[in-house]
Amino acid sequence: MTAFALPRSVDVINPRQWETFATYFKELAERPLTRENLRQWLTDWSDLTRLFFEAASLIYIEKSQDTADADKEQAFLDLINDVYPQAQVAIQGLKERLLAVDPASEALADLSLVLRNMQNEASLFRQENIPLFTQAAKLENEYDKVTGTLKADWAGEEKNLSQLGFFLNNNDRSVRQKAWQTISDLWLSQRETLNGIYANLLTLRQQIAHNAGLANYRAYAFREKGRFDYTPDDCLTFHAAIETAVVPAIQRILKRKQKRLGYDTLRPWDWVPEKGTLVDDSGGEPLRPYQGQDALVQHTLNIFNQIDPQLARYFATMAEDELLDLDTRAGKALGGYCSSLPMRMRPFIFMNGVGSHDDVQTMLHEAGHAFHVFETAELPLIWQTEPPMEFCEVASMSMELLAAPYLTDQNGGFYTSPQAAHARIEHLENILAFLPYMAVVDAFQHWVYTHPQQAANASQCDAVWQSLYERFLPGVDWTAHEDSLKTGWHRKLHIFTSPFYYIEYGMAQVGALQVWRNSLQNPVKALQSYRQALSLGGTKTLPDLFAAAGAEFRFDTEMLSGLVALIEQKTAELRKTSLS
Ligand SMILES: [Zn+2]
């Protein structure tokens, strides 16, 4: 078949119209399929998927770079309203064609996981869910818009939530309190709106699950996320292990901080788990590691050169090819992400950097994702390059830890030795502090989607969030800020826009800590296993990917206690070199 000549670049197509892709999908739907041409057919489909997702990625990236640009938003809306729904139907047709082929076929021998995933997706597909996905995507976009446009006056300048969040790291408690109060007021000003968006999302998600023949959206989400290697009960076991092994360690950290700072109690502006800011008790100035994108790129490149020259080359390629947008500006969407451009097999990193240590951490994190894209570039079919999310975050979180020894200026990094030691202590303590917060976010959603009637009432969501918060994150005095405590779930984007996508971070952190533990024993071997595991993409199961990286896929108390002990030992060592 010579009919299948795809455009060589997304620059020459109009991705906002379904017609752009329709002819190619039609050809694939109609091409007679034999054992002999099966592989070619799959390759063509994979290449079409690359074109499609590259176009979609670019539309998403451009929208997030300028949320005020109506045309960019319209391109995104065209994509989700018109192109995606029709693509989903066409893709389902191709999956059914593929699955109808003898799965024992020679041509598919190396694709067992790809087939398993497609089988799972195809069996979950319901035509009647397509308009519901579109409605949900619009509501999710609404959440982004509401939160992305929140601004307040700060010392005569208008600042968005990201920019205000920078002051949560301030060592002056009154500045922190003022920033926290400003942020809190902005969120509470949208309380009814956000409750409304969530209630509508809940109804839609419940309906989506029912249409797919499942009892609730939790069951649906586990299937939809391809969670073959763990169950809802395993998540609850993980939460309980965190409660046993991690929560007491956090209490030790909080007590020490409180004592050193001479505070009677810790207040909400001393620890903001959703922002990963835990008050600094070192007495030093807050770290200001860099100013502007160029400096961030240069120091980060130096660090990667110390870890592995090949990783440094990957990163340099991103800088040369303008695949980095790192500084914050008015109108940019919140947060940071690494997106992939699967046609040119390159990653793209988006951030809202303001020059803080958090931004350095985000840079290293997203670079870990970017390395995953580079390492899988040789895998022939796009589906083979898609690792499970739990392992994607092992790639990124491990990179934060593997880079830590090179943060010092002797290594071309950002800090003096005491500053670097201080930054590493904060990083390790924040890893611990994240786990119970993760448990709250995850446990909250387990409750929501198994109690849809109660959860339709926002005040019940508030109550459940509060009780989980008190169970996993005790030690902070919320007096006079109860509304902010209860509505903490509003401030977690994932709860709105990526339901159930959060435990992945906890699992991955446990994997990444094991990669780091290995690197303390044998850095060369640990890095080799890390890169090897990344290069497997999605061709192995989650436990196998963990094993390839030198880690165990296990989330019990014993595993967590071992990692907590290592962190406590390492932070005690680092404290000897840090500012204090
Ligand atoms: Zn990530």
Side-chain angles (χ1 to χ4, degrees):
M1 275 293 229
T2 52
F4 206 78
L6 285 174
R8 295 222 180 140
S9 149
V10 292
D11 299 338
V12 299
I13 62 169
N14 176 3
R16 295 164 68 161
Q17 295 180 347
W18 168 239
E19 291 67 40
T20 303
F21 306 101
T23 28
Y24 305 107
F25 276 105
K26 188 162 180 284
E27 197 279 337
L28 289 170
E30 291 171 354
R31 191 189 305 178
L33 214 47
T34 61
R35 283 189 177 193
E36 288 65 42
N37 74 1
L38 185 57
R39 198 72 190 201
Q40 186 58 49
W41 181 83
L42 267 175
T43 302
D44 290 346
W45 176 14
S46 170
D47 289 346
L48 174 58
T49 308
R50 288 182 188 275
L51 174 76
F52 183 79
F53 281 116
E54 178 134 340
S57 272
L58 287 169
I59 286 174
Y60 181 80
I61 289 166
E62 286 176 10
K63 176 187 84 108
S64 60
Q65 287 177 312
D66 188 358
T67 54
D69 185 321
D71 186 57
K72 285 174 180 160
E73 191 188 5
Q74 192 54 49
F76 176 73
L77 292 174
D78 290 345
L79 188 73
I80 62 171
N81 292 337
D82 183 44
V83 183
Y84 267 157
Q86 304 196 64
Q88 281 168 331
V89 177
I91 291 166
Q92 175 69 12
L94 298 186
K95 280 178 189 159
E96 285 171 3
R97 283 198 89 192
L98 174 64
L99 295 167
V101 176
D102 173 15
S105 165
E106 278 283 285
L108 303 178
D110 57 330
L111 297 177
S112 62
L113 287 188
V114 170
L115 290 173
R116 178 192 73 174
N117 295 342
M118 282 198 187
Q119 171 73 53
N120 178 52
E121 291 156 13
S123 68
L124 214 52
F125 178 86
R126 297 292 183 280
Q127 181 87 39
E128 62 268 31
N129 274 340
I130 290 178
L132 305 187
F133 292 140
T134 309
Q135 286 178 48
K138 277 188 210 163
L139 287 165
E140 289 158 17
N141 189 45
E142 203 51 40
Y143 177 86
D144 281 342
K145 266 176 67 181
V146 169
T147 59
T149 49
L150 287 177
K151 288 188 195 82
D153 178 80
W154 183 271
E157 262 185 74
E158 210 171 52
K159 302 236 182 247
N160 66 21
L161 285 172
S162 291
Q163 293 165 322
L164 289 166
F166 180 59
F167 299 100
L168 294 172
N169 277 314
N170 201 290
N171 281 359
D172 181 336
R173 200 181 198 193
S174 65
V175 172
R176 253 186 352 257
Q177 179 173 358
K178 186 167 168 245
W180 184 89
Q181 190 66 60
T182 307
I183 291 169
S184 174
D185 290 346
L186 284 175
W187 281 104
L188 286 171
S189 75
Q190 301 301 317
R191 186 171 182 176
E192 294 313 317
T193 309
L194 296 173
N195 283 342
I197 292 174
Y198 197 59
N200 288 334
L201 279 168
L202 224 66
T203 311
L204 279 172
R205 288 170 183 161
Q206 192 64 16
Q207 189 59 46
I208 286 168
H210 284 160
N211 289 348
L214 293 162
N216 58 49
Y217 187 76
R218 180 175 75 172
Y220 180 87
F222 270 66
R223 286 277 306 279
E224 187 251 334
K225 299 198 170 323
R227 293 179 173 178
F228 299 103
D229 300 300
Y230 60 96
T231 64
D233 277 347
D234 292 330
C235 298
L236 304 184
T237 303
F238 188 16
H239 304 163
I242 289 170
E243 190 175 16
T244 310
V246 183
V247 173
I250 311 288
Q251 295 307 301
R252 291 193 282 276
I253 294 170
L254 295 182
K255 287 249 155 53
R256 194 181 54 243
K257 284 181 180 286
Q258 192 181 326
K259 191 168 158 221
R260 289 184 46 142
L261 290 161
Y263 294 169
D264 293 338
T265 54
L266 290 174
R267 304 301 320 265
W269 40 92
D270 298 323
W271 182 21
V272 189
E274 71 265 26
K275 301 286 290 180
T277 59
L278 185 53
V279 62
D280 176 8
D281 60 335
S282 68
E285 286 300 301
L287 298 171
R288 298 264 182 162
Y290 73 95
Q291 275 190 328
Q293 168 154 338
D294 290 347
L296 177 59
V297 168
Q298 188 53 55
H299 291 297
T300 307
L301 188 59
N302 295 341
I303 290 173
F304 291 145
N305 255 315
Q306 304 282 329
I307 302 175
D308 181 337
Q310 184 55 47
L311 296 183
R313 277 192 287 276
Y314 292 152
F315 191 69
T317 300
M318 296 189 74
E320 283 155 19
D321 294 355
E322 296 181 357
L323 297 168
L324 303 168
D325 181 358
L326 309 179
D327 288 335
T328 194
R329 338 172 260 282
K332 258 175 107 164
L334 299 184
Y337 62 79
C338 175
S339 181
S340 86
L341 301 169
M343 203 174 174
R344 65 191 89 165
M345 297 185 225
R346 290 280 184 269
F348 181 92
I349 295 179
F350 174 95
M351 278 176 54
N352 273 286
V354 291
S356 69
H357 176 66
D358 274 0
D359 299 326
V360 170
Q361 217 61 54
T362 305
M363 176 83 268
L364 297 168
H365 178 99
E366 301 305 339
H369 287 308
F371 297 151
H372 220 160
V373 176
F374 280 104
E375 293 288 356
T376 54
E378 299 296 314
L379 291 167
L381 300 175
I382 188 168
W383 308 286
Q384 295 174 301
T385 70
E386 294 167 345
M389 294 310 298
E390 296 84 351
F391 194 70
C392 289
E393 296 300 330
V394 174
S396 53
M397 291 172 163
S398 297
M399 191 40 62
E400 295 181 51
L401 288 158
L402 295 172
Y406 310 106
L407 286 169
T408 56
D409 41 24
Q410 299 104 287
N411 289 295
F414 297 88
Y415 303 119
T416 63
S417 289
Q419 284 174 332
H422 171 59
R424 294 182 66 186
I425 294 168
E426 289 216 326
H427 180 216
L428 292 168
E429 290 184 342
N430 272 307
I431 287 175
L432 283 187
F434 169 75
L435 288 169
Y437 177 69
M438 182 285 296
V440 171
V441 171
D442 193 54
F444 175 74
Q445 297 186 86
H446 279 261
W447 176 81
V448 164
Y449 293 105
T450 53
H451 298 77
Q453 260 126 30
Q454 289 102 307
N457 179 346
S459 66
Q460 296 220 38
C461 291
D462 290 351
V464 168
W465 177 269
Q466 179 171 357
S467 83
L468 287 167
Y469 208 95
E470 286 164 352
R471 174 179 160 205
F472 287 100
L473 300 160
V476 174
D477 174 9
W478 283 81
T479 307
H481 299 288
E482 288 79 6
D483 278 348
S484 198
L485 168 60
K486 285 181 204 162
T487 54
W489 55 281
H490 285 174
R491 300 192 291 275
K492 184 38 56 187
L493 169 136
H494 299 70
I495 290 176
F496 283 76
T497 67
S498 314
F500 278 105
Y501 175 51
Y502 214 57
I503 192 135
E504 287 86 345
Y505 290 105
M507 291 179 162
Q509 198 61 269
V510 172
L513 287 169
Q514 294 177 74
V515 170
W516 172 62
R517 181 164 64 191
N518 297 341
S519 80
L520 298 174
Q521 302 295 322
N522 186 340
V524 175
K525 183 157 176 281
L527 192 77
Q528 213 172 16
S529 304
Y530 167 82
R531 285 190 54 194
Q532 161 66 14
L534 262 55
S535 74
L536 294 170
T539 62
K540 298 280 179 218
T541 66
L542 200 43
D544 285 351
L545 290 169
F546 266 63
E552 284 181 81
F553 191 71
R554 246 181 65 196
F555 309 96
D556 50 64
T557 305
E558 191 195 350
M559 168 63 78
L560 293 190
S561 299
L563 295 171
V564 166
L566 176 66
I567 287 179
E568 290 193 318
Q569 177 210 326
K570 198 71 194 176
T571 50
E573 268 170 39
L574 286 165
R575 211 162 268 121
K576 291 177 196 152
T577 359
S578 85
L579 288 173
S580 43

